[in-house]
Amino acid sequence: PERRRLPQPKRASRAAATKLKYSTHPMITGAKALFLKGRKTDNGYLKPSKRLLVDIVISENSLDEGLMLMNQLASSVEQRGYKFCFAPTHGHYYRANVDERANPKGDKTYCQLWGPGRCTVIFVGSLAIGVTLIELSRPVEMMYLKGDYIPVDSMTPSQTKQARYAHTWTTTKYMPSGEFAVQLYSPYPGTEWSKKIPIKTNRKDSNLFSSIVKSLFRFGKEIEQLVDIAEKKAEEERKKWAEQQERWRLEEIERKREKSISDSTNELNSIIAKWAEEKRVKDFLDELEREINRNDNADKPLLFERLEQARRLLSSESALSLLSKWQTPAERLAQ
């Protein structure tokens, strides 16, 4: 990761701070229309088709307020002298998992939330802190009625009447609540650090995020320590991997050496067997030729012709020819 030091923050000038306070951050400008282009999860969270957006997990009803809060956070961060931006493309930054439930209990419920293509980060010096604004969800009793799930508490008299005569049932779903939390996390591989901070005070308070912003330097120090540990661990793993690869390399060399000796020996034994077979066949044919010459037989021409045919039939690559092609173990290894 590209991080070295955490310099003390430098506050923006009063004029610059005033401008930041009342302006819309570039990452927020035009974001609303893009968030609304896409689909929704079963419980109403937006899933925009565009991936390069500020990291907000939110429903359509709360979108305006969520963008306002994220803009306020970005302004507070930059007034403090930090940088609020998308994670650079030249580094490896990872977004922490998001559990949108206000009070998570048991296993995570199935909710395929949207995630950005690049993390939203706050740079404290050269160290990045990931940030996600989450609209929290709370369990709501829902009734299934004519293809839709309707909150039981908000059912109209007409819907209640329809439910009496329809095949229906109730279930509990985690639905967007209009409450918010900021999740800060370490975006560096090999580190696990995150804080989910509820936003409970007056959301129009200009100092709403002041305590979070003041804590960023301390959070950065915590992440920096984890990154140092992760880097040392990664270096140890790289050394172990390099040592393992070297062991495998030496084992492969030894395997090839043993195989070259085995293959060369087997081939040489084949040549020896071939030489013995050649000697046996030659002695047999030579003895036949002497026997034909010793006998005064009218079939001599025929026997000699048959003998010559036998020689041609039994002829094959000689042991000497095979020996010239034989490879020593060193020659096999050199290939």
Side-chain angles (χ1 to χ4, degrees):
E2 294 188 2
R3 55 116 201 107
R4 291 293 179 269
R5 298 177 181 175
L6 287 171
Q8 290 291 345
K10 296 180 180 180
R11 292 182 178 275
S13 66
R14 181 173 296 181
T18 301
K19 181 179 179 181
L20 288 169
K21 183 176 180 180
Y22 295 104
S23 63
T24 302
H25 194 276
M27 292 172 65
I28 308 298
T29 302
K32 179 178 179 179
L34 296 173
F35 266 99
L36 294 175
K37 290 181 180 179
R39 299 178 291 116
K40 294 181 181 179
T41 64
D42 291 341
N43 55 348
Y45 283 94
L46 295 174
K47 296 185 69 173
S49 54
K50 186 174 178 62
R51 298 294 304 281
L52 188 59
L53 286 173
V54 65
D55 193 356
I56 302 178
V57 176
I58 201 162
S59 66
E60 182 175 354
N61 289 341
S62 301
L63 181 57
D64 287 331
E65 186 173 9
L67 290 171
M68 181 270 291
L69 288 172
M70 202 60 150
N71 187 69
Q72 193 171 337
L73 174 60
S75 298
S76 299
V77 164
E78 296 192 345
Q79 286 176 45
R80 187 74 176 178
Y82 301 137
K83 185 178 180 182
F84 186 94
C85 62
F86 292 117
T89 56
H90 56 73
H92 297 287
Y93 299 90
Y94 299 90
R95 180 180 185 250
N97 292 329
V98 171
D99 189 336
E100 87 291 348
R101 295 175 297 174
N103 298 303
K105 292 181 180 179
D107 295 334
K108 177 74 172 72
T109 57
Y110 176 77
C111 181
Q112 196 173 3
L113 298 172
W114 171 83
R118 283 160 59 188
C119 304
T120 297
V121 295
I122 298 168
F123 270 103
V124 181
S126 56
L127 187 136
I129 301 175
V131 55
T132 304
L133 181 67
I134 306 168
E135 181 182 2
L136 301 173
S137 67
R138 292 192 178 275
V140 176
E141 187 180 13
M142 310 286 287
M143 177 172 284
Y144 180 82
L145 185 63
K146 293 185 177 182
D148 291 320
Y149 283 97
I150 303 169
V152 172
D153 290 344
S154 63
M155 289 180 65
T156 65
S158 174
Q159 289 172 332
T160 303
K161 184 177 180 180
Q162 291 176 22
R164 294 175 187 170
Y165 305 102
H167 176 65
T168 185
W169 61 86
T170 59
T171 187
T172 299
K173 284 179 171 287
Y174 279 86
M175 304 299 291
S177 65
E179 303 170 40
F180 290 89
V182 171
Q183 178 167 285
L184 302 176
Y185 62 90
S186 170
Y188 297 105
T191 61
E192 290 187 11
W193 183 97
S194 67
K195 289 188 180 296
K196 196 172 179 180
I197 307 169
I199 302 174
K200 297 180 178 179
T201 58
N202 180 6
R203 296 172 188 169
K204 295 183 179 180
D205 182 1
S206 59
N207 296 318
L208 178 61
F209 296 103
S210 60
S211 61
I212 294 177
V213 174
K214 288 177 182 177
S215 301
L216 288 176
F217 186 81
R218 176 168 55 85
F219 294 158
K221 294 297 288 185
E222 294 176 14
I223 294 174
E224 185 178 41
Q225 291 173 0
L226 293 175
V227 172
D228 287 339
I229 294 171
E231 286 181 345
K232 290 177 182 177
K233 185 178 179 180
E235 182 60 28
E236 290 174 1
E237 292 296 326
R238 281 192 291 269
K239 287 181 180 178
K240 288 180 181 179
W241 176 243
E243 290 169 358
Q244 181 62 56
Q245 287 185 311
E246 180 63 14
R247 284 195 293 271
W248 286 339
R249 188 184 70 83
L250 294 176
E251 289 171 2
E252 180 65 11
I253 290 174
E254 180 60 20
R255 187 192 66 78
K256 288 182 178 180
R257 188 187 71 82
E258 291 177 355
K259 186 175 185 302
S260 68
I261 293 174
S262 175
D263 290 347
S264 187
T265 301
N266 290 338
E267 187 178 359
L268 192 57
N269 287 331
S270 297
I271 294 171
I272 293 170
K274 178 66 176 176
W275 177 259
E277 178 65 12
E278 281 183 8
K279 292 283 291 180
R280 188 181 69 80
V281 171
K282 184 176 184 304
D283 290 346
F284 169 73
L285 294 175
D286 288 348
E287 183 62 29
L288 277 180
E289 186 175 4
R290 286 193 292 272
E291 187 63 27
I292 294 170
N293 283 326
R294 280 197 297 268
N295 288 323
D296 223 1
N297 196 314
D299 291 335
K300 257 186 179 182
L302 176 61
L303 291 173
F304 276 120
E305 182 183 349
R306 290 298 180 92
L307 180 62
E308 184 60 30
Q309 289 179 357
R311 289 185 190 279
R312 288 197 295 270
L313 179 63
L314 295 174
S315 67
S316 61
E317 192 171 15
S318 67
L320 292 177
S321 175
L322 292 175
L323 183 62
S324 67
K325 298 176 182 179
W326 173 70
Q327 291 180 315
T328 65
E331 289 172 335
R332 291 174 184 274
L333 283 174
Q335 290 182 343

